[in-house]
Amino acid sequence: MFGRSKRKAGDNAAIVDFWTWWPTVRADVEAAISSGEWATLSEQFSRRVEDIHPGLEWEFYRGTAAQHSLVVSAAGVAELRPVVARWGALAPPADATWEFHTARQPDPEVLGSAIGIGEGVQLDLAQLRFAFARDESSPEISVIAYHPGFRMLGEDARRSVTFLALDWLLGEDGVEEWIGEISWVTDPPEDAADPRELGAAVEALREEYRTPQWILLHGEGAGGPIIATVQRPLRPVRWPRFDTHVAITLPYREQNPAGLPEAESLAALREFEDTALTTAAGADGVLLAHETSGGTRILHYYVDADSPAADDLAEAAGWWKDGRARVERHFDPAFERIRHFR
């Protein structure tokens, strides 16, 4: 059973209300799953989820370890990931009957079945193929989907089948974290492969980045050379709570002719980042990149807007002694302000 919410969003109190209400209907949900009688419960669930946020989607599904699962999903909308993260954080512990997820989980067995699309059109998903390639400079895989039945479908239906199939193969979060450009075609692409091969390629990429990596980037700006250090994979789905960008600009005095820090200023920047700012961000923020040029270093943090991390970072920045620090903050759950680093 699934649904999509429609009404105006509520606030965090609606999340607490949801989990207070859940034990009172849990037995009814289990009975409805057995009987298929959903009408009243479906309306109740939609209303409760809509109170949390109108853009959320929900569904009951078979569990991975438990018998059943309840999924409340952001449906790929970056602005909603912090909402479902807070919902998931208050979920009760999983047991033998129920588990709770903030994204649809992989279920590759579905790709061996047929699904109905529109009126009278059945697609055998076993015929689905993916051509895919990895850009070696980036930890993501581009995908082209093909099915012989795509010729019978309109563009929207092809898109829907492609994204559903990827969700079943990799899970919603797997698609968000590891898949780059997604397209679909009506003629067999070169090197089209069984979905299991795409799954194996994603698993290999996930293993390669089991420990996040920092890379060094070089560029040229109007004021001279720019050096940036960036954490990868740089995907917001990895930090669903961290929806606010905090940019801290630190000027430094001691620099070489190219405007890059030297000696005492370089040591001071490193120590300040590792001590004062790391302590201020705590568990509610993360440093994802910093860029240095023309006598300044900009540190790009992302923090949970419901925490004091942004205020704590701003206060800590005031302790910088090599010049006057500047702090800017913006709501940015899609990481648009650091997209150029990808």
Side-chain angles (χ1 to χ4, degrees), residues 129-133 141-144 165-166 169-170 178-179 193-205:
R129 296 293 181 267
F130 292 109
F132 57 91
I141 295 173
S142 60
V143 172
I144 302 172
L166 288 171
L169 179 64
L170 305 172
W178 304 110
I179 302 301
D194 186 277
R196 288 173 294 185
E197 294 186 36
L198 173 58
V202 168
E203 185 56 37
L205 190 58

Side-chain angles (χ1 to χ4, degrees), residues 38-95:
W38 276 106
T40 301
L41 275 175
S42 176
E43 292 177 3
Q44 292 181 40
F45 263 89
S46 287
R47 186 163 58 250
R48 292 283 178 170
V49 174
E50 287 160 6
D51 283 342
I52 298 170
H53 195 285
L56 300 180
E57 295 181 356
W58 63 270
E59 66 179 33
F60 295 111
Y61 203 67
R62 63 174 176 267
T64 55
Q67 185 179 1
H68 310 296
S69 69
L70 169 58
V71 179
V72 173
S73 165
V77 180
E79 290 80 358
L80 300 185
R81 288 196 193 101
V83 179
V84 294
R86 291 193 291 272
W87 176 87
L90 293 181
D95 56 29

Side-chain angles (χ1 to χ4, degrees), residues 64-335:
T64 55
Q67 185 179 1
H68 310 296
S69 69
L70 169 58
V71 179
V72 173
S73 165
V77 180
E79 290 80 358
L80 300 185
R81 288 196 193 101
V83 179
V84 294
R86 291 193 291 272
W87 176 87
L90 293 181
D95 56 29
T97 307
W98 284 101
E99 60 192 34
F100 308 95
H101 299 288
T102 56
R104 295 182 177 91
Q105 301 301 290
D107 190 5
E109 291 183 8
V110 175
L111 299 182
S113 63
I115 61 171
I117 303 294
E119 295 185 7
V121 178
Q122 289 281 321
L123 285 187
D124 179 3
L125 293 180
Q127 299 182 58
L128 188 69
R129 296 293 181 267
F130 292 109
F132 57 91
R134 177 185 170 185
D135 180 351
E136 293 302 325
S137 67
S138 178
E140 62 184 37
I141 295 173
S142 60
V143 172
I144 302 172
Y146 165 73
H147 190 287
F150 279 179
R151 294 180 181 180
M152 300 182 295
L153 303 178
E155 191 70 6
D156 288 345
R158 295 170 191 157
R159 181 186 187 279
S160 179
V161 170
T162 297
F163 278 87
L164 282 172
L166 288 171
D167 283 349
W168 283 320
L169 179 64
L170 305 172
E172 277 189 301
D173 286 351
V175 174
E176 290 288 332
E177 188 167 3
W178 304 110
I179 302 301
E181 183 179 355
I182 301 171
S183 58
W184 43 91
V185 293
T186 56
D187 294 315
E190 189 175 345
D191 299 326
D194 186 277
R196 288 173 294 185
E197 294 186 36
L198 173 58
V202 168
E203 185 56 37
L205 190 58
R206 182 182 287 115
E207 186 61 34
E208 179 182 341
Y209 284 88
R210 187 72 62 184
T211 300
Q213 301 176 14
W214 287 85
I215 64 166
L216 187 64
L217 303 176
H218 297 268
E220 286 290 332
I226 302 173
I227 296 178
T229 306
V230 182
Q231 186 177 161
R232 286 190 172 174
L234 196 60
R235 292 295 189 108
V237 69
R238 296 182 58 213
W239 301 277
R241 288 194 300 123
F242 298 166
D243 54 6
T244 299
H245 176 238
V246 180
I248 301 174
T249 301
L250 303 178
Y252 49 85
R253 295 189 181 94
E254 198 166 343
Q255 55 187 278
N256 64 21
L260 300 177
E262 285 190 323
E264 292 184 7
S265 285
L266 180 59
L269 286 166
R270 289 171 174 167
E271 182 181 3
F272 195 68
E273 175 188 320
D274 292 341
T275 56
L277 295 180
T278 297
T279 300
D284 293 314
V286 62
L287 175 66
L288 294 182
H290 59 68
E291 53 187 318
T292 307
S293 67
T296 61
R297 172 167 290 181
I298 305 174
L299 299 106
H300 298 274
Y301 283 87
Y302 276 79
V303 304
D304 182 347
D306 280 359
S307 78
D311 290 336
D312 291 346
L313 281 168
E315 181 181 353
W319 304 337
W320 178 243
K321 297 179 180 179
D322 216 10
R324 184 180 179 85
R326 187 173 74 252
V327 180
E328 297 180 64
R329 66 181 83 177
H330 298 88
F331 181 68
D332 183 29
F335 289 15

